[in-house]
Amino acid sequence: ESRLRLAWVSLGLLLISYDLISLPLSLAYLLPSHPAFNTLDWLLFAFWILDMVSNFLTGFHGDGVTEMRPRKVLRVYLRGWFACDVLIILLDLMALLSKFFDSTGAVDDTAGSTKIVRAGRTFRMLRLLRLVRVMRMRKLIEVSVRLFDSLTSDVRVMIAKVMRLVTFIILLNHYIACAWYAIG
């Protein structure tokens, strides 16, 4: 892979890590409503749209050959991550728009409190649907496997595997702690 693609994938890994940490915090209402977080959410949304476009333009390795023909690249992407990417982007868009309309007060207050209650329920449901973003974790695993394959030293491979396990344990504890906080 080129250095530019490697930098793009590394940025994607960083953003997936942010999602993995911030998502349970936002579901447990521990993440404060701050303009910086809202801006970061919009930047994440823009990154994943650009990532989707870049996937249409990125070749792949198959049968020992690097395939760069647009039609074949398109076919592989459409059969692979395309549906997942579209679903995540649409859910992100709905969540961002509902958060935007909720924060600007664009909810119709003339119809009484039932519309406000429904809007609150819808917003909570959209927050829960953001769990679909965790599907990006699969991409993280695929990239980490490719990175492990590129390591040449057995010691480096061992260190990387231990770091991956420790990170998994920390994330699992983070999710459990946020779930317990949300429950009680």
Side-chain angles (χ1 to χ4, degrees):
E1 293 187 8
S2 70
R3 289 182 188 258
L4 180 63
R5 182 69 184 164
L6 186 61
W8 184 260
V9 169
S10 298
L11 180 60
L13 291 176
L14 184 68
L15 296 177
I16 289 171
S17 300
Y18 169 78
D19 270 345
L20 289 174
I21 293 169
S22 69
L23 184 63
L25 290 173
S26 68
L27 290 174
Y29 296 100
L30 292 171
L31 199 62
S33 179
H34 192 273
F37 291 120
N38 294 338
T39 303
L40 189 55
D41 284 341
W42 281 101
L43 288 174
L44 282 167
F45 178 69
F47 175 85
W48 292 116
I49 288 177
L50 291 173
D51 183 62
M52 193 170 155
V53 171
S54 76
N55 284 325
F56 283 116
L57 306 172
T58 303
F60 63 94
H61 298 285
D63 299 327
V65 178
T66 302
E67 185 62 59
M68 295 297 293
R69 288 179 280 184
R71 183 170 281 170
K72 290 201 176 202
V73 170
L74 177 67
R75 186 179 310 136
V76 167
Y77 181 57
L78 289 176
R79 288 183 183 168
W81 280 100
F82 180 74
C84 177
D85 286 346
V86 167
L87 177 67
I88 291 170
I89 285 173
L90 289 176
L91 289 173
D92 278 351
L93 180 63
M94 289 188 324
L96 288 171
L97 290 177
S98 71
K99 188 189 301 185
F100 173 75
F101 287 125
D102 188 45
S103 68
T104 59
V107 178
D108 185 15
D109 289 336
T110 60
S113 63
T114 57
K115 283 195 175 189
I116 294 171
V117 170
R118 274 192 225 139
R121 286 182 187 161
T122 303
F123 185 65
R124 273 181 267 151
M125 181 57 84
L126 286 173
R127 277 181 169 229
L128 197 56
L129 287 176
R130 287 179 68 189
L131 281 174
V132 175
R133 287 171 129 183
V134 176
M135 290 189 327
R136 288 189 184 127
M137 179 76 169
R138 187 168 173 207
K139 280 188 180 181
L140 180 70
I141 291 169
E142 287 179 5
V143 170
S144 69
V145 165
R146 278 191 273 156
L147 287 175
F148 286 152
D149 289 344
S150 69
L151 294 176
T152 57
S153 167
D154 288 337
V155 173
R156 288 182 184 166
V157 170
M158 185 64 74
I159 290 171
K161 286 184 179 183
V162 168
M163 287 178 60
R164 187 174 72 177
L165 286 173
V166 168
T167 302
F168 173 75
I169 290 169
I170 290 170
L171 280 174
L172 182 64
N173 284 327
H174 175 63
Y175 274 68
I176 291 170
C178 287
W180 276 111
Y181 182 84
I183 291 171

